[in-house]
Amino acid sequence: MTAKVACAGVAVLDRVYLFDALPLAPGKHIATGYRENGGGMAANAAVAIAALGGAAAWCGRLADDATGKTLLAMLRRCGVSTEGATIVPGGQSPSSAISLDPQGERLLAVHLGAGLPEDAPVPPTAVDGAGAVLADPRWVGGAEQLFALAARRGLPRVLDADVAPPHILRRLAPQADHVIFSERGLVEFSGVADPGTGLAQAARSLDATVAVTLGARGSLWWRDGRAIALPAPSVAARDTTGCGDVFHGAYALVLAERGTIEEAARFATAAAALKATRGDGWDGMPRRAEVVDLLRQGWA
């Protein structure tokens, strides 16, 4: 039976501008290329789960504008269930502007939309048949609803703890039992710049599996009272946009399949590395056979 993960959070239409070198000063800059991709933390994770052979349900808020209609159609085309979506008349859907260089580095500006109600519902049916859930901090009300539904069913609850106001991260993290920070998210949560020290501080305050992703440097996991490093494979990065979200989605999928934390962490590391090599938004999501092949090859 295909494992299902229910995801709650943001979906964003990414408008990507390509540059030979990222602009470093204000002014007019001529891009060498342009494309539009689907994006957003929970939506990226859901699309990654579907591409990796899982069943994904996305719960979130979109306006009935052109951007929202485009995102909804893209999610469905990628095999993601959108029955938990709330469509808001007269609102404004989330969008972003991304400046990207040939090495995959980026400048990212996100507008999280307007007129999207915080109290929009997450239907209880979203977790029917699910083996795990995942939420991001961009829709606090949705994350709390999803985590409560999952807790009542004894399901793993994964928080994608990326950059957000500290009070939001501190509100949501205790409701999850797997809290995986980005490096900047961990700084926001702990107030500590060093990842190992910040992770130790987070672990003391949370009854959860706690980790921090470090991009090309891999990740750190708090296990048995210490930070354990999991390196990432060395790849030629083309576009790092969404790699952290792919990591979280792949991790949640393995948990939904009843894999161990170690299996989930390695699978997620391989999936995120593969995503970095191709870019192309939702069309560039890695497939399961590719991830399995990279795991078989191993890396230092």
Side-chain angles (χ1 to χ4, degrees):
M1 183 176 178
T2 301
K4 174 183 173 181
V5 180
C7 305
V10 70
V12 179
L13 186 63
D14 290 338
R15 297 178 169 94
V16 183
Y17 298 85
L18 307 180
F19 292 92
D20 292 332
L22 292 179
L24 298 178
K28 183 181 291 186
H29 304 277
I30 305 301
T32 60
Y34 172 81
R35 63 174 182 262
E36 292 184 355
N37 298 325
M41 298 166 67
N44 282 340
V47 172
I49 289 161
L52 291 166
W58 178 78
C59 303
R61 305 160 298 159
L62 292 170
D64 64 350
D65 55 7
T67 297
K69 292 173 183 176
T70 296
L71 283 167
L72 207 59
M74 293 172 71
L75 283 164
R76 291 168 177 164
R77 177 177 60 81
C78 291
V80 175
S81 169
T82 59
E83 293 180 5
T86 295
I87 308 303
V88 182
Q92 189 174 31
S93 296
S95 62
S96 75
I98 300 172
S99 298
L100 183 69
D101 73 10
Q103 288 71 48
E105 294 301 321
R106 60 187 175 144
L107 294 173
L108 175 62
V110 181
H111 180 248
L112 294 176
L116 305 179
E118 181 64 24
D119 61 353
V122 172
T125 54
V127 296
D128 285 352
V133 304
L134 177 151
D136 69 40
R138 302 291 180 257
W139 178 27
V140 177
E144 292 186 322
Q145 291 179 70
L146 186 63
F147 285 157
L149 289 168
R152 287 196 287 270
R153 301 195 187 198
L155 301 177
R157 308 175 305 280
V158 179
L159 175 63
D160 183 344
D162 198 359
V163 178
H167 73 278
I168 296 296
L169 293 176
R170 291 170 189 155
R171 174 175 166 180
L172 290 179
Q175 301 179 52
D177 56 358
H178 297 262
V179 182
I180 304 179
F181 294 94
S182 69
E183 191 166 4
R184 286 183 57 198
L186 181 58
V187 172
E188 295 288 348
F189 182 85
S190 67
V192 177
D194 176 70
T197 305
L199 195 64
Q201 183 169 310
R204 285 193 295 269
S205 66
L206 297 172
D207 183 18
T209 295
V210 180
V212 56
T213 58
L214 302 171
R217 292 175 288 153
S219 56
L220 288 177
W221 297 78
W222 193 259
R223 306 290 287 170
D224 301 321
R226 62 192 180 98
I228 298 176
L230 175 60
S234 179
V235 298
R238 176 184 168 196
D239 183 357
T240 59
T241 306
C243 289
D245 308 330
V246 171
F247 185 104
H248 288 83
Y251 179 84
L253 176 58
V254 175
L255 293 184
E257 296 170 344
R258 302 190 178 182
T260 67
I261 291 170
E262 291 76 13
E263 290 168 339
R266 288 189 61 81
F267 186 87
T269 300
L274 288 169
K275 180 66 174 74
T277 65
R278 57 193 65 179
D280 296 331
W282 291 349
D283 291 330
M285 291 296 181
R287 305 295 168 172
R288 189 165 200 120
E290 299 171 303
V291 177
V292 170
D293 185 58
L294 181 54
L295 287 169
R296 285 174 179 159
Q297 295 176 37
W299 58 86

